[in-house]
Structures are given as structure tokens and as C-alpha cells.
């Protein structure tokens, strides 16, 4: 890489891993919003619903760890899902300040109905690649995410959160 800052071109930006990951994130979200527009759901809301369905009675702190999403921002996601009547909050039996999250019938129906659209999202994201390249890309992305987990502002802590849930259950 040249040391003279004036010699850096946009080509250097366009080929940088960070830039490429940011652009791919923008593209993935755009495809999700397009394919799932009839459901009025964001990718983070979808992930939260799947986690709540998988772990009924999860609290917001543990949900944050399971989907690797900032706890303070997750509050507004939970509020929107509750407003749409896809989830409900109930006080924890041992601590009324803690609210446990449960999927409603409407939330369950939404997840059932949205699955074909989510499947199309995943297929469209990878469609331009050859099948072998898709497999390679996913394998490399899994490695990068796993090996760089601790560098995240919100590292994935699903195992820790789920271990706590199993002790509470």
C-alpha cells in the first residue's frame, strides 16, 4: 500500500474487505426488504422472532447475546414486534422487573408464512456464484465471523445465554 495519502484511489477503497462487507450487508438487507416487503419485517426483527420461538421465555439481555445485537437498540426492535402483536412480554416469576419474551400466535403464523420469502432472500444473495463458490464463500465467512467474534461491539454469546436459560428452566 502506498504511503503517500494522495496516491490512494477509490479502487483501493472498492477492493478493501471492510468496504466489500459493508456493501454486501447493504445488498443483503435490500434483498431481504424487497422479498419480505409484504410482511413489514427487518432482518433483525426476523432473527429476534426466530430466537424467541426457539427459546420461549428468553429475556432481552439473553436475546441480545443470542442474535449478537446491541442491547440498547434491541429495545426498540422488541417494542415494534410487540406493537405488531408478534410477541408478548411477561414478567419473570422470580423478578417482576425482568420481562420474558414469547411468540404470539400471530408471530408464529408470520414465521410460517415468511419462510418462502426468506429462502428466496438467501438464494438471491448467493445466486450469482457457482454452487462450489457458494459453499466456499459460506465456509470462509463462518470462519471469519467466528475468528473475529471478539472484535465485535456485540460478540455472539449464544452458548452463554442459552446455558443460563437452561439453568432457569
Amino acid at each position: 500500500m502506498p504511503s503517500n495519502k494522495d496516491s490512494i484511489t477509490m479502487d483501493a477503497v472498492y477492493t478493501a474487505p471492510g468496504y466489500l462487507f459493508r456493501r454486501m450487508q447493504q445488498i443483503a438487507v435490500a434483498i431481504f426488504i424487497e422479498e419480505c416487503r409484504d410482511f413489514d419485517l427487518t432482518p433483525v426483527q426476523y432473527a429476534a422472532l426466530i430466537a424467541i420461538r426457539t427459546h420461549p421465555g428468553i429475556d432481552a439481555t439473553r436475546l441480545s447475546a443470542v442474535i449478537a445485537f446491541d442491547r440498547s437498540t434491541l429495545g426498540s426492535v422488541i417494542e415494534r414486534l410487540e406493537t405488531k402483536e408478534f410477541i408478548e412480554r411477561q414478567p419473570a416469576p422470580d423478578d417482576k422487573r425482568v420481562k420474558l419474551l414469547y411468540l404470539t400466535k400471530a408471530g408464529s403464523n408470520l414465521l410460517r408464512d415468511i419462510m418462502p420469502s426468506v429462502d428466496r432472500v438467501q438464494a438471491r444473495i448467493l445466486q450469482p456464484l457457482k454452487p462450489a463458490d457458494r459453499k466456499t464463500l459460506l465456509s470462509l465467512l463462518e470462519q471469519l465471523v467466528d475468528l473475529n467474534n471478539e472484535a465485535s461491539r456485540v460478540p455472539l454469546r449464544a452458548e452463554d445465554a442459552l446455558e443460563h436459560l437452561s439453568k432457569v428452566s
Side-chain angles (χ1 to χ4, degrees):
M1 186 106 189
S3 59
N4 180 351
K5 68 178 179 175
D6 293 334
S7 66
I8 297 174
T9 66
M10 285 307 296
D11 286 341
V13 172
Y14 295 151
T15 59
Y19 177 84
L20 292 169
F21 285 126
R22 181 184 67 80
R23 286 289 296 137
M24 196 60 234
Q25 166 66 7
Q26 290 174 320
I27 292 164
V29 169
I31 292 171
F32 185 96
I33 297 302
E34 182 181 318
E35 288 290 344
C36 300
R37 71 181 156 274
D38 293 342
F39 301 97
D40 188 29
L41 209 63
T42 67
V44 172
Q45 290 171 348
Y46 170 76
L49 287 173
I50 293 291
I52 293 166
R53 181 187 69 187
T54 306
H55 309 290
I58 194 170
D59 63 80
T61 299
R62 306 249 163 5
L63 178 60
S64 171
V66 167
I67 66 171
F69 196 74
D70 178 68
R71 172 66 182 92
S72 60
T73 310
L74 186 61
S76 62
V77 171
I78 291 169
E79 285 177 24
R80 283 193 287 281
L81 291 174
E82 189 176 34
T83 298
K84 294 175 182 182
E85 299 182 351
F86 295 145
I87 64 168
E88 62 183 10
R89 294 188 243 198
Q90 297 176 7
D94 56 337
D95 185 348
K96 302 295 183 207
R97 297 170 299 172
V98 175
K99 302 299 182 214
L100 306 180
L101 306 171
Y102 297 91
L103 205 59
T104 63
K105 184 163 179 51
S108 183
N109 290 341
L110 170 81
L111 286 178
R112 179 197 65 225
D113 295 344
I114 200 173
M115 286 314 300
S117 297
V118 172
D119 290 343
R120 281 193 306 276
V121 170
Q122 306 313 313
R124 277 186 61 192
I125 289 169
L126 295 176
Q127 188 278 330
L129 298 176
K130 296 175 189 166
D133 291 340
R134 295 173 197 165
K135 187 174 182 175
T136 300
L137 175 66
L138 290 175
S139 176
L140 291 171
L141 284 173
E142 287 176 21
Q143 286 180 58
L144 280 171
V145 168
D146 184 52
L147 295 170
N148 286 305
N149 187 52
E150 297 307 314
S152 173
R153 282 189 6 234
V154 186
L156 181 65
R157 299 273 188 249
E159 290 177 9
D160 296 343
L162 299 178
E163 181 180 311
H164 175 81
L165 279 175
S166 64
K167 290 177 184 176
V168 173
S169 300

